[in-house]
Amino acid sequence: MRAGKLKTRRYKTRGRGRKWLLFLLLLAALAGALIYLQGQGKLTLPIPMAPAPTLTPDEARQEERTITLPEQSWYALQLGAFAQLPSAQSLANHYEGRGAASFIYSTDTHRVLAAAYPTRADAQAVINQLQSQHQVDAYLFQITSPQLTVHITGQRAQLTALSDGLDALYQSAQHFSNLSQALDQRTLTGEEVRQALRSRQETLSSLAQRLRILFGPTPHAAVASLIAILDEAIPALQQALDAGNDTRLGGRVKYCHLLCIIRLAEYAQKLEGT
Protein backbone atom coordinates (compact mmCIF):
# COMPACT_ATOMS: atom_id res chain seq x y z
CA MET A 1 0.00 0.00 0.00
CA ARG A 2 1.39 3.32 -1.01
CA ALA A 3 2.07 5.89 1.66
CA GLY A 4 -0.53 8.62 1.85
CA LYS A 5 -3.20 6.43 0.29
CA LEU A 6 -5.99 4.99 2.36
CA LYS A 7 -7.76 1.97 0.95
CA THR A 8 -11.48 2.04 1.60
CA ARG A 9 -14.26 -0.46 0.99
CA ARG A 10 -17.75 0.68 -0.04
CA TYR A 11 -20.84 -0.89 1.41
CA LYS A 12 -24.38 -0.63 0.06
CA THR A 13 -26.47 1.49 2.39
CA ARG A 14 -29.76 0.25 3.77
CA GLY A 15 -31.38 3.68 3.83
CA ARG A 16 -32.63 3.41 0.26
CA GLY A 17 -34.32 0.08 1.01
CA ARG A 18 -36.04 1.55 4.04
CA LYS A 19 -37.29 4.44 1.94
CA TRP A 20 -38.81 2.06 -0.59
CA LEU A 21 -40.40 0.04 2.19
CA LEU A 22 -41.92 3.17 3.72
CA PHE A 23 -43.15 4.26 0.30
CA LEU A 24 -44.86 0.90 -0.29
CA LEU A 25 -46.45 1.00 3.15
CA LEU A 26 -47.73 4.50 2.45
CA LEU A 27 -49.24 3.35 -0.85
CA ALA A 28 -50.93 0.43 0.89
CA ALA A 29 -52.35 2.76 3.55
CA LEU A 30 -53.67 5.16 0.91
CA ALA A 31 -55.24 2.30 -1.03
CA GLY A 32 -56.90 1.01 2.13
CA ALA A 33 -58.21 4.48 2.97
CA LEU A 34 -59.60 4.85 -0.55
CA ILE A 35 -61.39 1.50 -0.34
CA TYR A 36 -62.76 2.48 3.06
CA LEU A 37 -64.04 5.85 1.84
CA GLN A 38 -65.59 4.30 -1.25
CA GLY A 39 -67.43 1.88 0.98
CA GLN A 40 -68.85 4.55 3.24
CA GLY A 41 -72.57 5.22 2.82
CA LYS A 42 -73.14 1.97 0.93
CA LEU A 43 -75.35 -0.77 2.29
CA THR A 44 -76.57 -4.09 1.03
CA LEU A 45 -80.11 -4.86 2.13
CA PRO A 46 -81.50 -8.23 1.05
CA ILE A 47 -85.26 -7.66 1.13
CA PRO A 48 -86.99 -10.99 1.72
CA MET A 49 -89.71 -11.83 -0.78
CA ALA A 50 -93.21 -11.46 0.64
CA PRO A 51 -95.99 -13.80 -0.50
CA ALA A 52 -97.81 -11.90 -3.20
CA PRO A 53 -99.67 -14.47 -5.32
CA THR A 54 -101.45 -11.80 -7.38
CA LEU A 55 -98.20 -10.63 -8.99
CA THR A 56 -97.52 -11.43 -12.61
CA PRO A 57 -94.37 -13.46 -13.37
CA ASP A 58 -92.68 -10.27 -14.54
CA GLU A 59 -93.58 -8.40 -11.33
CA ALA A 60 -92.46 -11.32 -9.16
CA ARG A 61 -89.09 -11.67 -10.88
CA GLN A 62 -86.14 -11.50 -8.49
CA GLU A 63 -83.98 -8.44 -9.12
CA GLU A 64 -81.19 -6.33 -7.69
CA ARG A 65 -81.31 -2.56 -7.63
CA THR A 66 -79.27 0.32 -6.25
CA ILE A 67 -81.07 3.30 -4.74
CA THR A 68 -79.20 6.47 -3.85
CA LEU A 69 -80.67 8.65 -1.14
CA PRO A 70 -79.30 12.15 -1.81
CA GLU A 71 -77.76 14.31 0.87
CA GLN A 72 -80.05 17.16 1.89
CA SER A 73 -79.57 20.03 4.31
CA TRP A 74 -82.32 22.31 5.56
CA TYR A 75 -82.09 25.24 7.96
CA ALA A 76 -84.80 25.36 10.57
CA LEU A 77 -85.88 28.20 12.82
CA GLN A 78 -85.66 27.11 16.44
CA LEU A 79 -87.90 29.05 18.81
CA GLY A 80 -86.70 27.29 21.95
CA ALA A 81 -85.08 24.16 23.37
CA PHE A 82 -86.12 22.52 26.63
CA ALA A 83 -85.14 19.64 28.85
CA GLN A 84 -88.79 18.98 29.70
CA LEU A 85 -91.41 18.16 27.07
CA PRO A 86 -94.29 20.11 28.73
CA SER A 87 -92.25 23.32 28.45
CA ALA A 88 -91.72 22.70 24.73
CA GLN A 89 -95.42 21.95 24.26
CA SER A 90 -96.36 25.18 26.00
CA LEU A 91 -94.19 27.23 23.64
CA ALA A 92 -95.44 25.31 20.61
CA ASN A 93 -99.05 25.98 21.59
CA HIS A 94 -98.25 29.67 21.94
CA TYR A 95 -97.10 29.94 18.32
CA GLU A 96 -99.45 27.42 16.73
CA GLY A 97 -102.05 29.98 15.68
CA ARG A 98 -99.47 32.45 14.35
CA GLY A 99 -98.41 30.60 11.22
CA ALA A 100 -95.54 28.64 12.77
CA ALA A 101 -95.16 24.90 12.42
CA SER A 102 -94.80 24.43 16.20
CA PHE A 103 -93.04 21.14 15.50
CA ILE A 104 -91.41 19.52 18.53
CA TYR A 105 -88.24 17.66 17.59
CA SER A 106 -87.16 15.49 20.50
CA THR A 107 -83.66 14.03 20.74
CA ASP A 108 -81.42 14.81 23.70
CA THR A 109 -83.57 17.90 24.12
CA HIS A 110 -86.99 19.09 22.94
CA ARG A 111 -86.70 21.72 20.21
CA VAL A 112 -89.63 23.85 19.05
CA LEU A 113 -89.21 24.50 15.31
CA ALA A 114 -91.17 27.10 13.36
CA ALA A 115 -90.19 26.40 9.74
CA ALA A 116 -87.30 25.23 7.55
CA TYR A 117 -85.62 26.73 4.50
CA PRO A 118 -83.31 25.36 1.79
CA THR A 119 -80.44 27.78 2.44
CA ARG A 120 -78.85 29.36 5.49
CA ALA A 121 -79.33 32.82 3.94
CA ASP A 122 -83.09 32.27 3.52
CA ALA A 123 -83.45 31.15 7.12
CA GLN A 124 -81.32 34.00 8.47
CA ALA A 125 -83.39 36.54 6.57
CA VAL A 126 -86.56 35.27 8.26
CA ILE A 127 -84.84 35.26 11.65
CA ASN A 128 -83.87 38.90 11.15
CA GLN A 129 -87.43 39.76 10.13
CA LEU A 130 -88.91 38.02 13.17
CA GLN A 131 -86.56 39.92 15.45
CA SER A 132 -87.02 43.36 13.88
CA GLN A 133 -90.76 43.25 13.16
CA HIS A 134 -92.17 40.91 15.81
CA GLN A 135 -89.51 40.89 18.56
CA VAL A 136 -89.32 37.09 18.33
CA ASP A 137 -85.97 35.44 18.90
CA ALA A 138 -85.13 32.42 16.77
CA TYR A 139 -81.97 30.46 16.09
CA LEU A 140 -80.66 28.39 13.22
CA PHE A 141 -80.86 24.62 13.54
CA GLN A 142 -79.46 22.58 10.66
CA ILE A 143 -81.11 19.31 9.66
CA THR A 144 -79.01 17.11 7.38
CA SER A 145 -79.89 13.81 5.79
CA PRO A 146 -76.69 11.99 4.73
CA GLN A 147 -76.24 10.57 1.25
CA LEU A 148 -76.68 6.84 1.25
CA THR A 149 -76.42 4.22 -1.48
CA VAL A 150 -78.53 1.15 -0.77
CA HIS A 151 -78.23 -2.09 -2.75
CA ILE A 152 -81.45 -4.07 -2.43
CA THR A 153 -82.72 -7.40 -3.69
CA GLY A 154 -86.27 -8.64 -3.95
CA GLN A 155 -89.21 -8.93 -6.29
CA ARG A 156 -89.34 -6.40 -9.09
CA ALA A 157 -92.66 -4.96 -7.87
CA GLN A 158 -91.27 -4.68 -4.33
CA LEU A 159 -88.20 -2.76 -5.43
CA THR A 160 -90.27 -0.39 -7.55
CA ALA A 161 -92.65 0.32 -4.66
CA LEU A 162 -89.79 0.95 -2.22
CA SER A 163 -88.02 3.24 -4.69
CA ASP A 164 -91.27 5.11 -5.45
CA GLY A 165 -91.98 5.56 -1.74
CA LEU A 166 -88.58 7.08 -1.03
CA ASP A 167 -88.76 9.30 -4.11
CA ALA A 168 -92.20 10.53 -3.06
CA LEU A 169 -90.96 11.53 0.39
CA TYR A 170 -87.97 13.44 -0.97
CA GLN A 171 -90.24 15.16 -3.50
CA SER A 172 -92.78 15.91 -0.77
CA ALA A 173 -90.17 17.74 1.29
CA GLN A 174 -89.47 20.11 -1.61
CA HIS A 175 -93.17 20.29 -2.49
CA PHE A 176 -94.20 21.40 0.99
CA SER A 177 -91.40 23.95 1.06
CA ASN A 178 -92.63 25.43 -2.22
CA LEU A 179 -96.26 25.49 -1.05
CA SER A 180 -95.32 27.16 2.22
CA GLN A 181 -93.40 29.91 0.48
CA ALA A 182 -96.15 30.39 -2.11
CA LEU A 183 -98.74 30.76 0.63
CA ASP A 184 -96.57 33.21 2.59
CA GLN A 185 -95.93 35.28 -0.53
CA ARG A 186 -99.57 34.97 -1.66
CA THR A 187 -98.65 33.59 -5.06
CA LEU A 188 -101.10 30.74 -4.37
CA THR A 189 -104.46 30.92 -2.67
CA GLY A 190 -105.39 28.78 0.29
CA GLU A 191 -107.70 26.69 -1.88
CA GLU A 192 -104.96 26.08 -4.46
CA VAL A 193 -102.65 24.92 -1.69
CA ARG A 194 -105.36 22.59 -0.34
CA GLN A 195 -105.84 21.05 -3.78
CA ALA A 196 -102.11 20.32 -3.99
CA LEU A 197 -102.17 18.81 -0.49
CA ARG A 198 -105.11 16.53 -1.36
CA SER A 199 -103.23 15.21 -4.37
CA ARG A 200 -100.12 14.58 -2.28
CA GLN A 201 -102.15 12.84 0.42
CA GLU A 202 -103.67 10.49 -2.16
CA THR A 203 -100.22 9.68 -3.54
CA LEU A 204 -98.75 8.86 -0.14
CA SER A 205 -101.81 6.82 0.88
CA SER A 206 -101.57 4.78 -2.31
CA LEU A 207 -97.86 4.13 -1.78
CA ALA A 208 -98.37 3.01 1.82
CA GLN A 209 -101.06 0.57 0.68
CA ARG A 210 -98.83 -0.81 -2.09
CA LEU A 211 -95.99 -1.40 0.35
CA ARG A 212 -98.26 -3.23 2.79
CA ILE A 213 -99.60 -5.52 0.07
CA LEU A 214 -96.22 -6.30 -1.45
CA PHE A 215 -94.24 -6.84 1.76
CA GLY A 216 -96.87 -8.44 3.95
CA PRO A 217 -97.41 -8.10 7.71
CA THR A 218 -93.74 -8.49 8.71
CA PRO A 219 -91.73 -6.39 6.24
CA HIS A 220 -88.01 -5.71 6.36
CA ALA A 221 -87.12 -2.97 8.86
CA ALA A 222 -86.22 -0.56 6.04
CA VAL A 223 -89.71 -1.01 4.57
CA ALA A 224 -91.48 -0.89 7.93
CA SER A 225 -89.78 2.42 8.75
CA LEU A 226 -90.84 3.88 5.41
CA ILE A 227 -94.45 2.81 5.96
CA ALA A 228 -94.36 4.40 9.42
CA ILE A 229 -93.22 7.73 7.94
CA LEU A 230 -96.02 7.63 5.36
CA ASP A 231 -98.54 6.77 8.07
CA GLU A 232 -97.40 9.80 10.07
CA ALA A 233 -97.47 12.16 7.09
CA ILE A 234 -100.98 11.26 5.90
CA PRO A 235 -102.88 12.48 9.03
CA ALA A 236 -100.55 15.51 9.24
CA LEU A 237 -101.75 16.42 5.75
CA GLN A 238 -105.34 15.97 6.87
CA GLN A 239 -104.77 18.41 9.73
CA ALA A 240 -103.50 20.93 7.18
CA LEU A 241 -106.59 20.39 5.04
CA ASP A 242 -108.79 20.93 8.12
CA ALA A 243 -107.06 24.20 9.07
CA GLY A 244 -109.64 26.93 9.60
CA ASN A 245 -107.80 29.81 7.90
CA ASP A 246 -104.80 30.50 5.72
CA THR A 247 -102.56 31.40 8.66
CA ARG A 248 -103.14 28.07 10.33
CA LEU A 249 -102.90 26.35 6.96
CA GLY A 250 -99.45 27.86 6.45
CA GLY A 251 -98.35 26.60 9.85
CA ARG A 252 -99.59 23.09 9.11
CA VAL A 253 -97.83 23.01 5.73
CA LYS A 254 -94.61 24.02 7.50
CA TYR A 255 -95.28 21.21 9.97
CA CYS A 256 -95.61 18.68 7.13
CA HIS A 257 -92.37 19.96 5.63
CA LEU A 258 -90.46 19.59 8.91
CA LEU A 259 -91.98 16.16 9.46
CA CYS A 260 -90.70 14.96 6.07
CA ILE A 261 -87.17 16.29 6.34
CA ILE A 262 -86.67 15.16 9.94
CA ARG A 263 -88.03 11.67 9.39
CA LEU A 264 -85.99 11.27 6.21
CA ALA A 265 -82.85 12.33 8.08
CA GLU A 266 -83.61 9.82 10.83
CA TYR A 267 -84.32 7.12 8.23
CA ALA A 268 -81.01 7.65 6.43
CA GLN A 269 -79.07 7.82 9.68
CA LYS A 270 -80.72 4.62 10.89
CA LEU A 271 -79.82 2.77 7.70
CA GLU A 272 -76.29 4.19 7.83
CA GLY A 273 -75.85 2.69 11.28
CA THR A 274 -76.99 -0.81 10.28
Side-chain angles (χ1 to χ4, degrees), residues 187-225:
T187 57
L188 287 178
T189 66
E191 184 52 38
E192 288 172 329
V193 170
R194 286 182 174 86
Q195 289 176 2
L197 294 178
R198 289 189 193 97
S199 176
R200 184 63 49 169
Q201 186 184 47
E202 291 172 3
T203 297
L204 298 185
S205 297
S206 176
L207 285 168
Q209 183 64 13
R210 278 175 60 196
L211 289 168
R212 284 192 171 89
I213 292 172
L214 290 169
F215 289 93
T218 55
H220 187 280
V223 181
S225 296

Side-chain angles (χ1 to χ4, degrees), residues 14 25 27 42 59 89 104-105 107 122 135 167 178 181 193 200 220 227 245 272:
R14 296 182 181 179
L25 288 173
L27 283 179
K42 294 186 179 181
E59 291 173 328
Q89 289 174 330
I104 299 176
Y105 179 35
T107 52
D122 289 339
Q135 291 73 55
D167 285 345
N178 293 341
Q181 292 183 51
V193 170
R200 184 63 49 169
H220 187 280
I227 293 173
N245 54 55
E272 190 178 42

Side-chain angles (χ1 to χ4, degrees), residues 30-49:
L30 289 173
L34 181 60
I35 293 171
Y36 174 79
L37 291 173
Q38 288 177 338
Q40 292 305 291
K42 294 186 179 181
L43 299 174
T44 297
L45 295 177
I47 307 290
M49 288 194 302

Side-chain angles (χ1 to χ4, degrees), residues 139-263:
Y139 307 89
L140 278 177
F141 178 70
Q142 184 173 336
I143 302 166
T144 298
S145 177
Q147 178 174 320
L148 201 62
T149 299
V150 185
H151 184 70
I152 56 177
T153 60
Q155 290 177 312
R156 183 179 187 182
Q158 290 177 321
L159 306 190
T160 299
L162 181 57
S163 179
D164 288 348
L166 290 170
D167 285 345
L169 281 179
Y170 275 92
Q171 292 168 9
S172 294
Q174 187 60 57
H175 185 62
F176 295 144
S177 176
N178 293 341
L179 289 178
S180 175
Q181 292 183 51
L183 194 58
D184 288 346
Q185 297 166 6
R186 292 181 170 80
T187 57
L188 287 178
T189 66
E191 184 52 38
E192 288 172 329
V193 170
R194 286 182 174 86
Q195 289 176 2
L197 294 178
R198 289 189 193 97
S199 176
R200 184 63 49 169
Q201 186 184 47
E202 291 172 3
T203 297
L204 298 185
S205 297
S206 176
L207 285 168
Q209 183 64 13
R210 278 175 60 196
L211 289 168
R212 284 192 171 89
I213 292 172
L214 290 169
F215 289 93
T218 55
H220 187 280
V223 181
S225 296
L226 177 58
I227 293 173
I229 297 172
L230 294 171
D231 285 345
E232 191 176 5
I234 293 164
L237 280 165
Q238 188 59 50
Q239 290 182 350
L241 291 169
D242 294 339
N245 54 55
D246 286 357
T247 300
R248 286 186 175 273
L249 172 62
R252 298 314 299 178
V253 174
K254 292 179 177 67
Y255 183 97
C256 292
H257 179 220
L258 281 162
L259 175 66
C260 277
I261 63 178
I262 287 172
R263 295 296 180 257

